[in-house]
Amino acid sequence: MTQALSTEEQSKDRFFQELAKVAEEMVSEHGKDFAAGALVLAARWVSENRLGTPEDLKH
């Protein structure tokens, strides 16, 4: 028997699908090392609550 996903679980699933698509595109265009590094950096920014600050937008 399969249990239906809650609204929150459905939302999370959509984000995981979007994240997988972005990761696949990064790997395709720039390789696994770039994709992994970018995702780790993004995770660090999330954990440090630094998303969207001007200093993070510089290369």
Side-chain angles (χ1 to χ4, degrees):
M1 184 162 92
T2 304
Q3 187 174 356
L5 296 177
S6 70
T7 302
E8 181 178 0
E9 291 168 330
Q10 291 174 10
S11 174
K12 289 177 181 180
D13 190 53
R14 281 191 305 273
F15 279 112
F16 275 119
Q17 290 174 14
E18 290 178 37
L19 186 57
K21 181 180 176 189
V22 169
E24 288 172 358
E25 291 172 358
M26 288 192 297
V27 169
S28 176
E29 291 189 34
H30 301 290
K32 290 188 329 184
D33 289 343
F34 170 79
L39 293 168
V40 167
L41 184 58
R44 181 176 172 187
W45 287 348
V46 168
S47 71
E48 294 174 357
N49 199 28
R50 294 176 45 190
L51 290 177
T53 58
E55 58 270 8
D56 292 337
L57 300 177
K58 297 177 184 173
H59 297 303

Short mmCIF file of all heavy atoms in Angstrom, two decimals:
data_model
loop_
_atom_site.label_atom_id
_atom_site.label_comp_id
_atom_site.label_asym_id
_atom_site.label_seq_id
_atom_site.Cartn_x
_atom_site.Cartn_y
_atom_site.Cartn_z
N MET A 1 0.84 -1.18 0.00
CA MET A 1 0.00 0.00 0.00
C MET A 1 0.89 1.25 0.00
O MET A 1 1.82 1.36 0.78
CB MET A 1 -0.90 -0.02 1.24
CG MET A 1 -1.87 1.11 1.27
SD MET A 1 -3.22 0.81 2.42
CE MET A 1 -2.57 1.53 3.90
N THR A 2 0.61 2.19 -0.89
CA THR A 2 1.38 3.42 -1.02
C THR A 2 0.64 4.56 -0.33
O THR A 2 -0.54 4.76 -0.55
CB THR A 2 1.59 3.78 -2.49
OG1 THR A 2 2.23 2.68 -3.14
CG2 THR A 2 2.45 5.00 -2.64
N GLN A 3 1.38 5.29 0.48
CA GLN A 3 0.80 6.42 1.20
C GLN A 3 1.00 7.68 0.37
O GLN A 3 2.08 7.92 -0.17
CB GLN A 3 1.48 6.56 2.56
CG GLN A 3 0.86 7.58 3.45
CD GLN A 3 1.50 7.56 4.83
OE1 GLN A 3 2.34 6.74 5.12
NE2 GLN A 3 1.09 8.49 5.67
N ALA A 4 -0.01 8.51 0.27
CA ALA A 4 0.07 9.76 -0.48
C ALA A 4 1.00 10.74 0.22
O ALA A 4 1.06 10.77 1.46
CB ALA A 4 -1.31 10.37 -0.64
N LEU A 5 1.73 11.52 -0.58
CA LEU A 5 2.63 12.51 -0.01
C LEU A 5 1.83 13.71 0.50
O LEU A 5 0.85 14.12 -0.11
CB LEU A 5 3.62 12.99 -1.07
CG LEU A 5 4.60 11.97 -1.62
CD1 LEU A 5 5.46 12.60 -2.70
CD2 LEU A 5 5.47 11.40 -0.53
N SER A 6 2.31 14.27 1.60
CA SER A 6 1.70 15.48 2.13
C SER A 6 2.05 16.65 1.21
O SER A 6 2.93 16.55 0.35
CB SER A 6 2.20 15.76 3.54
OG SER A 6 3.57 16.15 3.50
N THR A 7 1.41 17.77 1.41
CA THR A 7 1.70 18.97 0.63
C THR A 7 3.16 19.37 0.80
O THR A 7 3.84 19.72 -0.17
CB THR A 7 0.77 20.13 1.06
OG1 THR A 7 -0.58 19.71 0.87
CG2 THR A 7 1.04 21.38 0.25
N GLU A 8 3.66 19.31 2.01
CA GLU A 8 5.06 19.66 2.28
C GLU A 8 6.00 18.69 1.57
O GLU A 8 7.00 19.10 0.97
CB GLU A 8 5.34 19.66 3.78
CG GLU A 8 6.79 20.04 4.09
CD GLU A 8 7.09 20.10 5.57
OE1 GLU A 8 6.19 19.86 6.40
OE2 GLU A 8 8.24 20.41 5.90
N GLU A 9 5.69 17.40 1.63
CA GLU A 9 6.53 16.40 0.96
C GLU A 9 6.52 16.59 -0.56
O GLU A 9 7.56 16.46 -1.21
CB GLU A 9 6.07 14.99 1.32
CG GLU A 9 6.33 14.63 2.76
CD GLU A 9 5.63 13.35 3.20
OE1 GLU A 9 4.55 13.03 2.65
OE2 GLU A 9 6.17 12.68 4.09
N GLN A 10 5.37 16.95 -1.11
CA GLN A 10 5.29 17.22 -2.55
C GLN A 10 6.14 18.42 -2.92
O GLN A 10 6.84 18.42 -3.95
CB GLN A 10 3.83 17.46 -2.95
CG GLN A 10 2.97 16.23 -2.88
CD GLN A 10 1.51 16.55 -3.15
OE1 GLN A 10 1.15 17.65 -3.57
NE2 GLN A 10 0.64 15.58 -2.90
N SER A 11 6.10 19.46 -2.10
CA SER A 11 6.90 20.65 -2.34
C SER A 11 8.39 20.32 -2.29
O SER A 11 9.16 20.73 -3.17
CB SER A 11 6.56 21.72 -1.30
OG SER A 11 7.42 22.83 -1.44
N LYS A 12 8.80 19.58 -1.28
CA LYS A 12 10.21 19.18 -1.16
C LYS A 12 10.64 18.34 -2.34
O LYS A 12 11.75 18.50 -2.86
CB LYS A 12 10.43 18.42 0.15
CG LYS A 12 10.34 19.31 1.38
CD LYS A 12 10.50 18.48 2.64
CE LYS A 12 10.40 19.34 3.89
NZ LYS A 12 10.55 18.54 5.13
N ASP A 13 9.77 17.45 -2.80
CA ASP A 13 10.07 16.61 -3.95
C ASP A 13 10.30 17.46 -5.19
O ASP A 13 11.23 17.21 -5.96
CB ASP A 13 8.94 15.61 -4.17
CG ASP A 13 9.31 14.55 -5.19
OD1 ASP A 13 10.36 13.90 -5.03
OD2 ASP A 13 8.54 14.37 -6.15
N ARG A 14 9.48 18.49 -5.39
CA ARG A 14 9.66 19.39 -6.54
C ARG A 14 11.01 20.09 -6.47
O ARG A 14 11.71 20.22 -7.48
CB ARG A 14 8.53 20.42 -6.60
CG ARG A 14 7.25 19.88 -7.18
CD ARG A 14 6.23 20.99 -7.48
NE ARG A 14 5.93 21.83 -6.33
CZ ARG A 14 4.99 21.56 -5.42
NH1 ARG A 14 4.27 20.46 -5.52
NH2 ARG A 14 4.77 22.38 -4.41
N PHE A 15 11.40 20.54 -5.27
CA PHE A 15 12.70 21.20 -5.12
C PHE A 15 13.84 20.23 -5.41
O PHE A 15 14.83 20.60 -6.05
CB PHE A 15 12.86 21.82 -3.73
CG PHE A 15 12.18 23.15 -3.61
CD1 PHE A 15 11.07 23.30 -2.80
CD2 PHE A 15 12.64 24.26 -4.31
CE1 PHE A 15 10.44 24.53 -2.68
CE2 PHE A 15 12.02 25.49 -4.20
CZ PHE A 15 10.91 25.63 -3.37
N PHE A 16 13.73 18.98 -4.95
CA PHE A 16 14.77 18.00 -5.24
C PHE A 16 14.87 17.75 -6.74
O PHE A 16 15.97 17.61 -7.28
CB PHE A 16 14.52 16.68 -4.50
CG PHE A 16 15.05 16.67 -3.10
CD1 PHE A 16 14.18 16.49 -2.03
CD2 PHE A 16 16.40 16.84 -2.84
CE1 PHE A 16 14.66 16.48 -0.73
CE2 PHE A 16 16.89 16.83 -1.54
CZ PHE A 16 16.02 16.65 -0.48
N GLN A 17 13.74 17.73 -7.43
CA GLN A 17 13.76 17.54 -8.88
C GLN A 17 14.43 18.73 -9.57
O GLN A 17 15.24 18.54 -10.49
CB GLN A 17 12.33 17.35 -9.40
CG GLN A 17 11.72 16.02 -9.00
CD GLN A 17 10.26 15.90 -9.40
OE1 GLN A 17 9.75 16.68 -10.19
NE2 GLN A 17 9.57 14.92 -8.83
N GLU A 18 14.12 19.94 -9.13
CA GLU A 18 14.75 21.13 -9.70
C GLU A 18 16.25 21.13 -9.42
O GLU A 18 17.06 21.47 -10.30
CB GLU A 18 14.12 22.40 -9.13
CG GLU A 18 12.72 22.65 -9.60
CD GLU A 18 12.11 23.90 -8.98
OE1 GLU A 18 12.85 24.90 -8.79
OE2 GLU A 18 10.91 23.88 -8.66
N LEU A 19 16.63 20.79 -8.20
CA LEU A 19 18.04 20.74 -7.83
C LEU A 19 18.79 19.71 -8.66
O LEU A 19 19.91 19.97 -9.13
CB LEU A 19 18.17 20.43 -6.34
CG LEU A 19 19.56 20.48 -5.73
CD1 LEU A 19 20.21 21.84 -5.96
CD2 LEU A 19 19.48 20.17 -4.25
N ALA A 20 18.19 18.56 -8.89
CA ALA A 20 18.81 17.52 -9.72
C ALA A 20 19.02 18.02 -11.14
O ALA A 20 20.07 17.79 -11.74
CB ALA A 20 17.96 16.26 -9.71
N LYS A 21 18.04 18.74 -11.67
CA LYS A 21 18.15 19.27 -13.03
C LYS A 21 19.29 20.27 -13.12
O LYS A 21 20.10 20.22 -14.06
CB LYS A 21 16.83 19.91 -13.46
CG LYS A 21 16.86 20.45 -14.86
CD LYS A 21 15.54 21.09 -15.25
CE LYS A 21 15.67 21.70 -16.65
NZ LYS A 21 14.55 22.50 -17.03
N VAL A 22 19.37 21.18 -12.17
CA VAL A 22 20.45 22.17 -12.16
C VAL A 22 21.80 21.48 -12.03
O VAL A 22 22.76 21.81 -12.73
CB VAL A 22 20.24 23.21 -11.02
CG1 VAL A 22 21.48 24.07 -10.83
CG2 VAL A 22 19.03 24.06 -11.31
N ALA A 23 21.89 20.50 -11.15
CA ALA A 23 23.15 19.76 -10.96
C ALA A 23 23.56 19.06 -12.26
O ALA A 23 24.74 19.10 -12.65
CB ALA A 23 23.01 18.76 -9.83
N GLU A 24 22.61 18.44 -12.93
CA GLU A 24 22.91 17.76 -14.20
C GLU A 24 23.40 18.76 -15.25
O GLU A 24 24.35 18.47 -15.99
CB GLU A 24 21.67 17.03 -14.71
CG GLU A 24 21.33 15.80 -13.90
CD GLU A 24 19.99 15.18 -14.28
OE1 GLU A 24 19.29 15.73 -15.17
OE2 GLU A 24 19.65 14.15 -13.69
N GLU A 25 22.79 19.93 -15.31
CA GLU A 25 23.21 20.95 -16.26
C GLU A 25 24.62 21.44 -15.94
O GLU A 25 25.44 21.65 -16.85
CB GLU A 25 22.23 22.12 -16.26
CG GLU A 25 20.88 21.78 -16.84
CD GLU A 25 19.85 22.87 -16.67
OE1 GLU A 25 20.15 23.92 -16.04
OE2 GLU A 25 18.72 22.68 -17.16
N MET A 26 24.93 21.65 -14.65
CA MET A 26 26.27 22.09 -14.26
C MET A 26 27.31 21.03 -14.63
O MET A 26 28.38 21.37 -15.14
CB MET A 26 26.33 22.40 -12.76
CG MET A 26 25.62 23.66 -12.37
SD MET A 26 25.97 24.22 -10.68
CE MET A 26 25.31 22.89 -9.70
N VAL A 27 27.01 19.77 -14.38
CA VAL A 27 27.94 18.70 -14.73
C VAL A 27 28.15 18.67 -16.23
O VAL A 27 29.29 18.56 -16.71
CB VAL A 27 27.44 17.33 -14.21
CG1 VAL A 27 28.25 16.19 -14.81
CG2 VAL A 27 27.47 17.27 -12.69
N SER A 28 27.09 18.78 -16.97
CA SER A 28 27.17 18.73 -18.43
C SER A 28 28.03 19.86 -18.99
O SER A 28 28.82 19.65 -19.90
CB SER A 28 25.76 18.79 -19.02
OG SER A 28 25.81 18.83 -20.42
N GLU A 29 27.88 21.06 -18.44
CA GLU A 29 28.60 22.21 -18.98
C GLU A 29 29.98 22.43 -18.38
O GLU A 29 30.88 22.95 -19.05
CB GLU A 29 27.76 23.48 -18.80
CG GLU A 29 26.53 23.50 -19.68
CD GLU A 29 25.82 24.83 -19.66
OE1 GLU A 29 26.49 25.88 -19.55
OE2 GLU A 29 24.58 24.82 -19.74
N HIS A 30 30.16 22.04 -17.10
CA HIS A 30 31.41 22.40 -16.42
C HIS A 30 32.08 21.25 -15.67
O HIS A 30 33.13 21.45 -15.06
CB HIS A 30 31.16 23.55 -15.44
CG HIS A 30 30.62 24.77 -16.12
ND1 HIS A 30 31.37 25.55 -16.97
CD2 HIS A 30 29.38 25.32 -16.09
CE1 HIS A 30 30.63 26.54 -17.42
NE2 HIS A 30 29.41 26.42 -16.91
N GLY A 31 31.48 20.09 -15.64
CA GLY A 31 32.10 18.93 -15.00
C GLY A 31 31.64 18.70 -13.57
O GLY A 31 31.04 19.57 -12.93
N LYS A 32 31.95 17.49 -13.10
CA LYS A 32 31.52 17.08 -11.76
C LYS A 32 32.16 17.89 -10.65
O LYS A 32 31.51 18.20 -9.66
CB LYS A 32 31.81 15.59 -11.54
CG LYS A 32 30.95 14.69 -12.36
CD LYS A 32 31.06 13.21 -12.07
CE LYS A 32 32.37 12.71 -11.61
NZ LYS A 32 32.42 11.26 -11.43
N ASP A 33 33.44 18.24 -10.80
CA ASP A 33 34.11 19.00 -9.74
C ASP A 33 33.45 20.36 -9.53
O ASP A 33 33.23 20.78 -8.39
CB ASP A 33 35.59 19.19 -10.05
CG ASP A 33 36.39 17.91 -9.93
OD1 ASP A 33 35.90 16.95 -9.29
OD2 ASP A 33 37.51 17.87 -10.46
N PHE A 34 33.14 21.05 -10.63
CA PHE A 34 32.47 22.35 -10.51
C PHE A 34 31.11 22.19 -9.85
O PHE A 34 30.76 22.93 -8.92
CB PHE A 34 32.30 23.02 -11.87
CG PHE A 34 31.41 24.23 -11.81
CD1 PHE A 34 31.88 25.43 -11.33
CD2 PHE A 34 30.08 24.15 -12.20
CE1 PHE A 34 31.06 26.54 -11.25
CE2 PHE A 34 29.24 25.25 -12.12
CZ PHE A 34 29.73 26.45 -11.65
N ALA A 35 30.32 21.22 -10.33
CA ALA A 35 28.97 21.03 -9.80
C ALA A 35 29.01 20.71 -8.31
O ALA A 35 28.26 21.30 -7.52
CB ALA A 35 28.25 19.92 -10.57
N ALA A 36 29.88 19.81 -7.92
CA ALA A 36 29.98 19.43 -6.51
C ALA A 36 30.41 20.63 -5.67
O ALA A 36 29.85 20.90 -4.60
CB ALA A 36 30.95 18.27 -6.32
N GLY A 37 31.40 21.38 -6.15
CA GLY A 37 31.88 22.55 -5.42
C GLY A 37 30.80 23.61 -5.27
O GLY A 37 30.64 24.21 -4.21
N ALA A 38 30.07 23.85 -6.35
CA ALA A 38 29.01 24.85 -6.31
C ALA A 38 27.91 24.46 -5.33
O ALA A 38 27.40 25.30 -4.58
CB ALA A 38 28.42 25.06 -7.71
N LEU A 39 27.55 23.19 -5.32
CA LEU A 39 26.49 22.73 -4.41
C LEU A 39 26.95 22.77 -2.96
O LEU A 39 26.18 23.14 -2.07
CB LEU A 39 26.02 21.33 -4.80
CG LEU A 39 25.30 21.27 -6.16
CD1 LEU A 39 25.13 19.82 -6.60
CD2 LEU A 39 23.98 21.99 -6.11
N VAL A 40 28.21 22.44 -2.72
CA VAL A 40 28.74 22.52 -1.35
C VAL A 40 28.78 23.98 -0.90
O VAL A 40 28.40 24.30 0.24
CB VAL A 40 30.15 21.88 -1.26
CG1 VAL A 40 30.85 22.23 0.04
CG2 VAL A 40 30.05 20.37 -1.42
N LEU A 41 29.22 24.88 -1.79
CA LEU A 41 29.25 26.29 -1.45
C LEU A 41 27.85 26.82 -1.16
O LEU A 41 27.64 27.56 -0.20
CB LEU A 41 29.90 27.09 -2.58
CG LEU A 41 30.10 28.58 -2.34
CD1 LEU A 41 30.96 28.83 -1.09
CD2 LEU A 41 30.74 29.22 -3.56
N ALA A 42 26.89 26.42 -1.97
CA ALA A 42 25.51 26.84 -1.73
C ALA A 42 25.01 26.33 -0.38
O ALA A 42 24.35 27.07 0.36
CB ALA A 42 24.60 26.33 -2.85
N ALA A 43 25.34 25.10 -0.05
CA ALA A 43 24.94 24.54 1.25
C ALA A 43 25.58 25.33 2.39
O ALA A 43 24.93 25.61 3.41
CB ALA A 43 25.32 23.07 1.33
N ARG A 44 26.82 25.72 2.20
CA ARG A 44 27.51 26.51 3.24
C ARG A 44 26.82 27.85 3.42
O ARG A 44 26.61 28.31 4.54
CB ARG A 44 28.97 26.70 2.84
CG ARG A 44 29.77 27.48 3.84
CD ARG A 44 31.21 27.55 3.46
NE ARG A 44 31.90 28.47 4.33
CZ ARG A 44 33.14 28.84 4.16
NH1 ARG A 44 33.85 28.38 3.15
NH2 ARG A 44 33.70 29.69 4.99
N TRP A 45 26.48 28.51 2.31
CA TRP A 45 25.79 29.80 2.40
C TRP A 45 24.45 29.66 3.11
O TRP A 45 24.09 30.51 3.91
CB TRP A 45 25.59 30.40 1.02
CG TRP A 45 26.85 30.93 0.39
CD1 TRP A 45 28.06 31.12 1.00
CD2 TRP A 45 27.03 31.31 -0.96
NE1 TRP A 45 28.97 31.60 0.11
CE2 TRP A 45 28.37 31.74 -1.11
CE3 TRP A 45 26.20 31.34 -2.07
CZ2 TRP A 45 28.88 32.19 -2.32
CZ3 TRP A 45 26.70 31.79 -3.28
CH2 TRP A 45 28.03 32.21 -3.39
N VAL A 46 23.72 28.60 2.82
CA VAL A 46 22.44 28.37 3.49
C VAL A 46 22.67 28.20 4.99
O VAL A 46 21.99 28.83 5.82
CB VAL A 46 21.71 27.14 2.90
CG1 VAL A 46 20.53 26.74 3.78
CG2 VAL A 46 21.25 27.42 1.48
N SER A 47 23.64 27.37 5.36
CA SER A 47 23.87 27.10 6.78
C SER A 47 24.36 28.34 7.52
O SER A 47 24.12 28.49 8.71
CB SER A 47 24.87 25.95 6.97
OG SER A 47 26.17 26.35 6.59
N GLU A 48 25.05 29.24 6.81
CA GLU A 48 25.56 30.47 7.42
C GLU A 48 24.60 31.65 7.26
O GLU A 48 24.93 32.78 7.62
CB GLU A 48 26.92 30.83 6.82
CG GLU A 48 28.00 29.82 7.14
CD GLU A 48 29.31 30.10 6.42
OE1 GLU A 48 29.37 31.05 5.61
OE2 GLU A 48 30.27 29.35 6.67
N ASN A 49 23.41 31.38 6.68
CA ASN A 49 22.40 32.42 6.47
C ASN A 49 22.96 33.60 5.67
O ASN A 49 22.72 34.76 5.99
CB ASN A 49 21.83 32.90 7.81
CG ASN A 49 20.50 33.60 7.64
OD1 ASN A 49 19.76 33.31 6.71
ND2 ASN A 49 20.20 34.52 8.53
N ARG A 50 23.72 33.28 4.62
CA ARG A 50 24.37 34.32 3.82
C ARG A 50 23.78 34.44 2.42
O ARG A 50 24.35 35.13 1.58
CB ARG A 50 25.86 34.00 3.70
CG ARG A 50 26.61 34.09 5.01
CD ARG A 50 28.04 33.69 4.88
NE ARG A 50 28.68 34.27 3.71
CZ ARG A 50 29.87 33.92 3.27
NH1 ARG A 50 30.55 32.98 3.89
NH2 ARG A 50 30.39 34.48 2.20
N LEU A 51 22.67 33.83 2.14
CA LEU A 51 22.09 33.91 0.80
C LEU A 51 21.63 35.33 0.51
O LEU A 51 21.00 35.98 1.33
CB LEU A 51 20.90 32.96 0.66
CG LEU A 51 21.26 31.49 0.64
CD1 LEU A 51 19.98 30.65 0.58
CD2 LEU A 51 22.14 31.16 -0.54
N GLY A 52 21.97 35.80 -0.69
CA GLY A 52 21.46 37.09 -1.15
C GLY A 52 22.20 38.31 -0.66
O GLY A 52 21.82 39.41 -0.99
N THR A 53 23.27 38.14 0.11
CA THR A 53 24.01 39.32 0.56
C THR A 53 24.93 39.76 -0.56
O THR A 53 25.48 38.94 -1.29
CB THR A 53 24.82 39.04 1.84
OG1 THR A 53 25.72 37.97 1.60
CG2 THR A 53 23.91 38.68 3.00
N PRO A 54 25.13 41.07 -0.73
CA PRO A 54 25.92 41.59 -1.85
C PRO A 54 27.33 41.01 -1.95
O PRO A 54 27.80 40.74 -3.03
CB PRO A 54 25.98 43.10 -1.59
CG PRO A 54 24.78 43.37 -0.75
CD PRO A 54 24.56 42.13 0.07
N GLU A 55 28.00 40.80 -0.85
CA GLU A 55 29.37 40.27 -0.91
C GLU A 55 29.43 38.85 -1.46
O GLU A 55 30.44 38.43 -2.00
CB GLU A 55 30.09 40.35 0.45
CG GLU A 55 29.40 39.62 1.57
CD GLU A 55 28.40 40.48 2.34
OE1 GLU A 55 28.11 41.61 1.92
OE2 GLU A 55 27.92 40.01 3.39
N ASP A 56 28.33 38.11 -1.37
CA ASP A 56 28.30 36.75 -1.90
C ASP A 56 28.12 36.74 -3.41
O ASP A 56 28.35 35.72 -4.05
CB ASP A 56 27.16 35.95 -1.28
CG ASP A 56 27.40 35.66 0.19
OD1 ASP A 56 28.58 35.68 0.61
OD2 ASP A 56 26.43 35.43 0.91
N LEU A 57 27.70 37.84 -4.00
CA LEU A 57 27.41 37.87 -5.42
C LEU A 57 28.67 38.18 -6.24
O LEU A 57 28.65 38.09 -7.45
CB LEU A 57 26.32 38.91 -5.72
CG LEU A 57 24.99 38.66 -5.01
CD1 LEU A 57 24.02 39.78 -5.32
CD2 LEU A 57 24.41 37.32 -5.44
N LYS A 58 29.78 38.51 -5.58
CA LYS A 58 31.02 38.79 -6.28
C LYS A 58 31.72 37.49 -6.63
O LYS A 58 31.65 36.51 -5.90
CB LYS A 58 31.94 39.64 -5.41
CG LYS A 58 31.36 41.01 -5.09
CD LYS A 58 32.27 41.77 -4.18
CE LYS A 58 31.64 43.10 -3.79
NZ LYS A 58 32.41 43.79 -2.79
N HIS A 59 32.44 37.50 -7.75
CA HIS A 59 33.21 36.31 -8.17
C HIS A 59 34.58 36.35 -7.59
O HIS A 59 35.24 37.31 -7.51
CB HIS A 59 33.32 36.24 -9.69
CG HIS A 59 31.98 36.10 -10.35
ND1 HIS A 59 31.12 35.08 -10.07
CD2 HIS A 59 31.38 36.86 -11.29
CE1 HIS A 59 30.04 35.20 -10.83
NE2 HIS A 59 30.16 36.28 -11.56
#
